[in-house]
Amino acid sequence: MCGILAVLGCSDDSQAKRVRVLELSRRLKHRGPDWSGLYQHGDCYLSHQRLAVIDPASGDQPLYNEDKSVVVTVNGEIYNHEELRKRLPNHKFRTGSDCDVIAHLYEEFGENFVNMLDGMFSFVLLDTRDNSFIVARDAIGITSLYIGWGLDGSIWISSEMKGLNDDCEHFESFPPGHLYSSKEGELRRWYNPPWFSEAIPSTPYDPLVLRKAFEKAVIKRLMTDVPFGVLLSGGLDSSLVASITARHLAGTKAAKQWGAQLHSFCVGLEGSPDLKAAKEVADYLGTVHHEFHFTVQDGIDAIEDVIYHIETYDVTTIRASTPMFLMSRKIKSLGVKMVISGEGSDEIFGGYLYFHKAPNKEEFHRETCQKIKALHMYDCLRANKSTSAWGLEARVPFLDKDFINVAMDIDPEWKMIKRDEGRIEKWILRRAFDDEENPYLPKHILYRQKEQFSDGVGYSWIDGLKAHAAQHVTDKMMLNASHIFPHNTPNTKEAYYYRMIFERFFPQNSARLTVPGGASIACSTARAVEWDASWSKNLDPSGRAALGVHLSDYASSNKIPVPQMVGNMPPRMVGAVGTPELAIQI
């Protein structure tokens, strides 16, 4: 991942302004430690911090068309760039970078070329011939992007909030699947897939069609000129990614450069469910496996850095980002610059444990649609920023545009969880890769119960966070929470603790408005909380909060968090270090 920052129409072309833009761009250097670039045209500035993954030798940015009248700063990967180059026979490319096609596509097709891009991306394109510009973000929001407005009429674009929050009067998250055109002066949605309307699809389930679509999504992400690996938790999603990658790596350019044996990476507390399962999968697939351990104290010590980099106060995102943040640092230290990860599957297939309570296929499907639309505020944000904090790129094949179209066109009746028929969560994905003749995974891994990342790294991680927060947030502080934080008022001590740290780094009102809120059970939307009356009394994002579903839920473990009333605040979940580490397998 790279870091981009653009200041457009700032009415100031002084050296002092250029120095300020450089200063702000350096706040993004962790995203791209390999090179820096800044282009200035009058009162417009385009800066770039590069992480070199494709064509490291010549792909420095900003990038240009032939006469340098069109300038682009890009963060991301364009997987179909070779195909797109063939559609531009009359254009001369300066580099082998996958992003080099963007300026030329604009020349050839105008502003409506964005849907031609197959990849993850955020970019700013400046046409110096008329001083117009466009800004675009990928379909789902895999890459992070923010837009801000200055009092002088300027528009600011940044990969992270910290690049613009101190200089803009107002700023917000740039919406996924959208394009901003200075000629129109407004945002418009360029990504309009059939599922976006949330109409109920009726296509019958075909396991081979689903399998081939996902294999294709993984294979296209093997495009790299640098060492890479896979994140492997031992759960279904990351294990499938690893299995497919291991099968297809041998014939790729990457294998010729870096070897055909796949490297895999896992993080967890000593004895955690993920470490055990990941080791078993790695042994089965024959990967070079790297297992990283952390302690609860290691994680707690990193919380402030995590919140600074992740730029959220959402509880479940911080819980899951911390081990990923720690692991990313270890991975980068090994010389690896890119990893493939399993985010997005639970949203597409209804993999979270609360989906067990979906009342019908219509509600099930609408919930999956809402979850995908919100990914840029949760798992995409986590995967992008916790890896980018150390100059590591994460690619997510489950969020491939074509694959999403296939998966979301299946009649949701097939996705429904039906225990009496032996159909657990994500059954259609498991069934698609249940190959008796040439197995992708061992059966008990293929049918392992869902573990949220923050749970799978070790149950005592979350309990330790709660215990730590309880030492720093008093009952008296909680009584005044609604006055101190009227927007998205924290209703647990853990949430209050994170919010205090966030507000110290990002005190602006615009910043707190970028973070979603609302009731949630085991990562559900607020609407899905209504599926079970008991959930409203047990609002916690951990998968173990799905009482009666998770095999080690809070009620059945020997450490039961007790709801406590603090003043007139709703019940909060309180736990302590020491929850047993159980390997959850089916």
Side-chain angles (χ1 to χ4, degrees):
M1 283 298 157
C2 303
I4 64 173
L5 174 68
V7 186
L8 305 153
C10 61
S11 304
D12 183 357
D13 59 1
S14 67
Q15 178 63 20
K17 189 66 174 184
R18 184 181 180 92
V19 169
R20 178 58 176 165
V21 174
L22 283 168
E23 177 186 351
L24 294 173
S25 182
R26 281 194 290 272
R27 296 184 183 181
L28 308 176
K29 189 175 286 187
H30 53 274
R31 296 182 64 90
D34 297 335
W35 194 252
S36 302
L38 174 62
Y39 173 86
Q40 179 183 357
H41 177 75
D43 58 2
C44 292
Y45 300 82
L46 272 64
S47 70
H48 190 265
Q49 302 287 345
R50 187 184 186 204
L51 178 67
V53 176
I54 302 296
D55 187 21
S58 67
D60 294 339
Q61 295 192 34
L63 296 164
Y64 308 90
N65 65 336
E66 290 88 345
D67 63 4
K68 291 193 172 185
S69 60
V70 178
V71 192
V72 189
T73 181
V74 193
N75 167 37
E77 302 292 344
I78 310 301
Y79 302 122
N80 64 334
H81 73 105
E82 292 182 353
E83 173 192 324
L84 292 172
R85 285 171 186 258
K86 293 175 183 176
R87 299 180 63 176
L88 299 164
N90 299 321
H91 292 257
K92 294 181 180 180
F93 297 91
R94 295 174 176 272
T95 77
S97 168
D98 54 294
C99 296
D100 208 355
V101 297
I102 292 176
H104 301 279
L105 287 170
Y106 169 79
E107 277 192 298
E108 195 73 25
F109 300 102
E111 294 182 353
N112 297 318
F113 72 89
V114 181
N115 202 36
M116 298 168 65
L117 302 175
D118 183 5
M120 55 178 182
F121 54 83
S122 300
F123 68 81
V124 179
L125 182 151
L126 175 66
D127 188 336
T128 63
R129 294 168 296 189
D130 59 5
N131 248 24
S132 64
F133 63 87
I134 61 172
V135 184
R137 187 179 184 188
D138 65 66
I140 306 299
I142 301 167
T143 59
S144 57
L145 195 65
Y146 295 83
I147 182 171
W149 294 267
L151 285 173
D152 61 354
S154 58
I155 292 180
W156 295 60
I157 303 294
S158 177
S159 292
E160 295 185 5
M161 195 156 54
K162 59 183 67 67
L164 51 68
N165 64 308
D166 288 335
D167 289 61
C168 290
E169 184 68 13
H170 176 72
F171 55 88
E172 56 195 49
S173 176
F174 192 97
H178 279 70
L179 178 144
Y180 178 89
S181 167
S182 65
K183 292 178 180 178
E184 298 177 5
E186 62 183 15
L187 286 157
R188 71 171 185 269
R189 184 152 56 88
W190 65 264
Y191 179 56
N192 296 285
W195 63 267
F196 215 84
S197 68
E198 302 183 15
I200 311 303
S202 57
T203 302
Y205 167 55
D206 185 330
L208 287 181
V209 169
L210 190 64
R211 181 197 295 184
K212 290 175 181 177
F214 188 58
E215 286 191 313
K216 184 178 179 181
V218 173
I219 292 167
K220 73 174 68 168
R221 282 160 179 78
L222 303 183
M223 176 187 82
T224 178
D225 292 330
V226 298
F228 83 104
V230 294
L231 302 186
L232 179 60
S233 70
L236 173 68
D237 308 326
S238 65
S239 297
L240 284 178
V241 169
S243 178
I244 295 167
T245 303
R247 286 191 179 204
H248 295 278
L249 179 58
T252 65
K253 178 183 174 183
K256 294 176 183 177
Q257 286 182 292
W258 310 108
Q261 193 169 18
L262 180 64
H263 287 250
S264 57
F265 309 95
C266 185
V267 67
L269 303 178
E270 196 78 48
S272 68
D274 279 1
L275 291 180
K276 180 180 178 182
K279 178 66 164 62
E280 185 175 0
V281 175
D283 289 344
Y284 180 81
L285 298 177
T287 69
V288 179
H289 191 57
H290 307 266
E291 185 177 284
F292 305 123
H293 297 174
F294 77 104
T295 66
V296 172
Q297 191 60 54
D298 290 334
I300 288 171
D301 290 344
I303 288 292
E304 293 206 8
D305 284 342
V306 169
I307 292 174
Y308 173 76
H309 280 286
I310 306 302
E311 301 180 324
T312 187
Y313 50 83
D314 176 68
V315 169
T316 190
T317 303
I318 295 169
R319 288 176 176 179
S321 294
T322 304
M324 196 170 194
F325 175 86
L326 296 172
M327 175 172 57
S328 296
R329 187 176 192 180
K330 291 278 192 179
I331 293 172
K332 188 60 185 290
S333 74
L334 298 175
V336 172
K337 297 176 76 172
M338 185 272 281
V339 291
I340 307 179
S341 190
E343 279 77 14
S345 172
D346 292 315
E347 286 74 15
I348 294 169
F349 295 104
Y352 292 106
L353 298 184
Y354 72 89
F355 275 94
H356 280 250
K357 299 294 183 75
N360 51 59
K361 72 176 188 179
E362 291 79 14
E363 283 289 307
F364 191 107
H365 181 71
R366 293 189 188 103
E367 179 73 4
T368 59
C369 292
Q370 289 297 315
K371 290 292 292 180
I372 297 171
K373 292 175 183 179
L375 265 169
H376 68 286
M377 298 184 288
Y378 297 104
D379 283 19
C380 285
L381 180 145
R382 166 180 56 78
N384 181 276
K385 292 182 180 177
S386 59
T387 52
S388 294
W390 302 106
L392 181 68
E393 175 175 292
R395 298 181 180 176
V396 284
F398 279 108
L399 297 182
D400 180 86
K401 280 196 303 181
D402 293 337
F403 176 72
I404 292 176
N405 285 342
V406 170
M408 293 302 289
D409 194 43
I410 298 170
D411 186 334
E413 183 66 32
W414 288 97
K415 297 181 182 180
M416 291 284 286
I417 299 159
K418 298 181 179 181
R419 292 186 183 183
D420 56 336
E421 298 178 18
R423 283 165 49 176
I424 62 172
E425 65 277 354
K426 293 186 287 193
W427 177 83
I428 64 169
L429 181 62
R430 301 175 197 271
R431 178 67 186 86
F433 287 91
D434 194 348
D435 189 330
E436 296 286 350
E437 294 184 5
N438 190 14
Y440 286 79
L441 294 168
K443 284 273 190 180
H444 62 278
I445 293 292
L446 191 62
Y447 290 94
R448 182 188 181 209
Q449 187 179 61
K450 162 70 182 174
E451 285 283 11
Q452 287 167 210
F453 188 46
S454 52
D455 284 331
V457 297
Y459 297 149
S460 59
W461 166 233
I462 291 178
D463 299 329
L465 284 174
K466 292 178 178 180
H468 178 74
Q471 295 173 358
H472 291 79
V473 179
T474 66
D475 290 352
K476 185 176 181 180
M477 294 164 72
M478 291 299 298
L479 283 171
N480 295 322
S482 62
H483 302 291
I484 303 297
F485 305 115
H487 176 73
N488 282 347
T489 302
N491 61 4
T492 69
K493 290 187 175 181
E494 185 186 4
Y496 195 108
Y497 178 67
Y498 299 155
R499 186 65 172 272
M500 288 192 298
I501 298 171
F502 177 89
E503 296 274 345
R504 191 165 74 246
F505 290 132
F506 308 104
Q508 301 87 357
N509 187 54
S510 292
R512 63 183 66 99
L513 293 176
T514 64
V515 181
S520 179
I521 180 75
C523 293
S524 74
T525 65
R527 177 172 175 168
V529 173
E530 300 172 4
W531 292 352
D532 189 309
S534 68
W535 286 349
S536 62
K537 302 174 184 178
N538 185 42
L539 297 176
D540 189 281
S542 167
R544 290 181 294 152
L547 303 181
V549 176
H550 195 291
L551 298 185
S552 289
D553 64 32
Y554 285 144
S556 61
S557 71
N558 68 356
K559 188 77 197 121
I560 303 175
V562 181
Q564 296 181 355
M565 293 299 294
V566 180
N568 59 356
M569 296 297 293
R572 57 185 174 86
M573 303 309 299
V574 183
V577 179
T579 300
E581 314 297 359
L582 300 176
I584 306 303
Q585 298 182 348
I586 294 179

